[in-house]
Amino acid sequence: DTEVTQTPKHLVMGMTNKKSLKCEQHMGHRAMYWYKQKAKKPPELMFVYSYEKLSINESVPSRFSPECPNSSLLNLHLHALQPEDSALYLCASSQTGPTEAFFGQGTRLTVV
Amino acid sequence: GQNIDQPTEMTATEGAIVQINCTYQTSGFNGLFWYQQHAGEAPTFLSYNVLDGLEEKGRFSSFLSRSKGYSYLLLKELQMKDSASYLCAVRESGQAGTALIFGKGTTLSVSS
């Protein structure tokens, strides 16, 4: 199983809403990542969790709040987003060594 | 910090060979990875190099020179379905953890 599953696939939310993105993997990977990708741009790293602990926060605004409840799950809680936060949000996981990361299909987020 | 450069666009014809170059400057280097991404889809892993030299995987090969901060992805026997964005990514390891950082991507267009 080399699958990273993200839900929902699409999400439309208002600027006052609170929503959560979910990511799940069962490959035993101990590193999990959130990336943001705008159209025609590369994925931009947001957060890294290593052994369920937040290890990297790339100066992401506090309206994005990550959570890693256990080694298989990664959430991204969203609150008071702006229209410019509309993007494809990608979750990935990997072993902690020099190995490839596997990506989920992403959540297409639209903030209205 | 990191700086990863690759050409923005390339074109080629079916059956041809194309080489996509990537140069990088980074600290804590822990591997260089190549991903393919079709529009609207998640990145999929193609190849990676940790040590200097050539790695071959079917129609795709990747080369790394750590002393030169240089890699390339070689695509042989091009097919129309190879039209996609090709992302060079460097894995960095530091005190804060390990992260996969992407270059801006090269959009490859294959024509008949």
Side-chain angles (χ1 to χ4, degrees), chain A residues 31 33 35 37 40-43 45 48 55-56 88 90 94-106 108, chain B residues 2 30-31 33 35 37 40-45 48 50 87 91-93 96-105:
Chain A
Y33 314 82
Y35 286 86
Q37 187 174 26
K40 299 190 188 301
K41 299 287 187 185
L45 183 67
V48 180
S55 60
I56 295 177
L88 180 67
L90 293 162
S94 74
Q95 300 291 358
T96 55
T99 62
E100 69 270 31
F102 294 88
F103 283 82
Q105 288 302 305
R108 177 77 57 189
Chain B
Q2 65 280 332
N30 202 13
F33 299 77
Y35 283 81
Q37 188 175 27
E41 299 182 8
T44 55
F45 169 74
Y48 85 100
V50 179
L87 299 160
R91 183 177 285 285
E92 288 193 332
S93 292
T98 180
L100 198 60
I101 307 299
F102 285 87
K104 288 182 167 42

Side-chain angles (χ1 to χ4, degrees), chain A residues 10 23 40 43 63 101 106 112:
Chain A
H10 300 274
C23 175
K40 299 190 188 301
R63 58 185 184 269
V112 296

Side-chain angles (χ1 to χ4, degrees), chain B residues 21-96:
Chain B
N21 296 325
C22 173
T23 58
Y24 65 90
Q25 291 176 307
T26 186
S27 54
F29 177 83
N30 202 13
L32 189 137
F33 299 77
W34 286 95
Y35 283 81
Q36 179 191 63
Q37 188 175 27
H38 287 98
E41 299 182 8
T44 55
F45 169 74
L46 292 177
S47 183
Y48 85 100
N49 300 73
V50 179
L51 301 176
D52 291 354
L54 187 68
E55 292 287 336
E56 296 187 79
K57 292 180 72 173
R59 293 191 300 117
F60 300 95
S61 303
S62 60
F63 171 83
L64 175 67
S65 169
R66 287 172 297 169
S67 62
K68 293 188 168 74
Y70 167 70
S71 174
Y72 67 72
L73 179 70
L74 195 69
L75 294 80
K76 302 175 188 174
E77 301 168 16
L78 281 174
Q79 303 172 12
M80 298 289 283
K81 66 178 183 179
D82 296 328
S83 294
S85 178
Y86 290 85
L87 299 160
C88 171
V90 173
R91 183 177 285 285
E92 288 193 332
S93 292
Q95 285 188 333

Side-chain angles (χ1 to χ4, degrees), chain A residues 10-17 19 21 34-39 44 46-47 58-65 76-90 107-112:
Chain A
H10 300 274
L11 178 62
V12 179
M13 61 185 290
M15 289 188 282
T16 58
N17 291 160
K19 296 287 184 184
L21 310 185
W34 280 115
Y35 286 86
K36 173 183 177 181
Q37 187 174 26
K38 304 280 271 185
E44 181 182 328
M46 299 175 73
F47 303 104
E58 291 288 295
S59 303
V60 180
S62 59
R63 58 185 184 269
F64 295 91
S65 176
L76 186 63
H77 302 299
L78 314 172
H79 174 54
L81 294 193
Q82 303 296 311
E84 59 264 30
D85 296 322
S86 299
L88 180 67
Y89 287 84
L90 293 162
T107 294
R108 177 77 57 189
L109 174 68
T110 303
V111 181
V112 296

